[in-house]
Amino acid sequence: MSGASFELALEDMLPKRSLARLLDVVQDLTPLMDEVGMSLVTSTSRRFELGVDPDGNRWIPSRRARETGGQTLVRDRHLSDSITHDPGRAGVEWGSNLPYALIHQEGGEIVPKTSRFLVFQAGGGMVFARRVEIPARPYLGFDDDDEAATLAIVQDFMTAALEAR
């Protein structure tokens, strides 16, 4: 820079011990990512309670929910109870490992693999269908509230790292 200037480095603002601690902490963010993941699991669980996608839109009601007055995607709570997280050194993954989790998240068509019809119970009777269309009912996502919560978690984490003695 030409003219007059003043330089201030991070190490000038922080005690050496705090800076060393901060640099040490950011090498492996697994504890931070674990905390973020727990927050995202909680947020996702809340979506199941409300029956909404990450944008706040209500899910398309399932036939079962319409007929029984129940909630879509929460009859036995297997899907909502399966939401978990896996923290890593630089990020976190959260979701479900249930085989039907993806079709509810993204929607799609179910067709029989080995017979002419799908056979299942619905409405108090047996149903025979050549195909079933499942609408997307997204429950995983990152909304504005998730962003604010994540930023608060990161700020608290970094502040604690800087203040550690």
Side-chain angles (χ1 to χ4, degrees):
M1 173 180 288
S2 63
S5 67
F6 184 83
E7 182 178 336
L8 180 65
L10 184 61
E11 59 199 34
D12 297 328
M13 297 184 303
L14 299 173
K16 296 265 189 237
R17 175 184 251 170
S18 293
L19 183 59
R21 171 78 176 126
L22 181 60
L23 292 174
D24 185 47
V25 165
V26 297
Q27 296 300 312
D28 181 1
L29 295 174
T30 303
L32 171 61
M33 293 299 114
D34 187 40
E35 209 171 321
V36 169
M38 287 187 283
S39 174
L40 294 170
V41 168
T42 298
S43 173
T44 303
S45 295
R46 182 84 175 126
R47 289 191 193 112
F48 278 97
E49 291 171 17
L50 299 174
V52 297
D53 68 17
D55 294 326
N57 302 310
R58 295 207 55 78
W59 292 328
I60 297 168
S62 65
R63 177 179 172 181
R64 179 202 51 81
R66 286 191 312 267
E67 291 175 356
T68 66
Q71 282 185 274
T72 300
L73 295 186
V74 294
R75 182 183 69 193
D76 297 321
R77 301 206 182 279
H78 295 301
L79 182 56
S80 62
D81 288 349
S82 74
I83 304 300
T84 188
H85 70 287
D86 184 18
R89 292 174 61 90
V92 63
E93 182 178 1
W94 81 103
S96 170
N97 66 352
L98 293 177
Y100 54 85
L102 182 62
I103 193 127
H104 288 300
Q105 174 75 16
E106 296 182 358
E109 181 180 74
I110 301 174
V111 294
K113 290 182 179 179
T114 58
S115 63
R116 293 181 50 196
F117 296 99
L118 297 167
V119 181
F120 54 94
Q121 288 187 345
M126 296 300 289
V127 175
F128 297 86
R130 292 191 188 275
R131 67 181 202 85
V132 173
E133 188 70 31
I134 304 291
R137 296 181 179 105
Y139 48 91
L140 295 171
F142 193 77
D143 64 18
D144 291 343
D145 291 340
D146 294 326
E147 182 178 5
T150 299
L151 289 174
I153 291 167
V154 170
Q155 183 177 12
D156 290 348
F157 186 86
M158 293 302 173
T159 299
L162 287 171
E163 293 174 350
R165 305 224 182 249

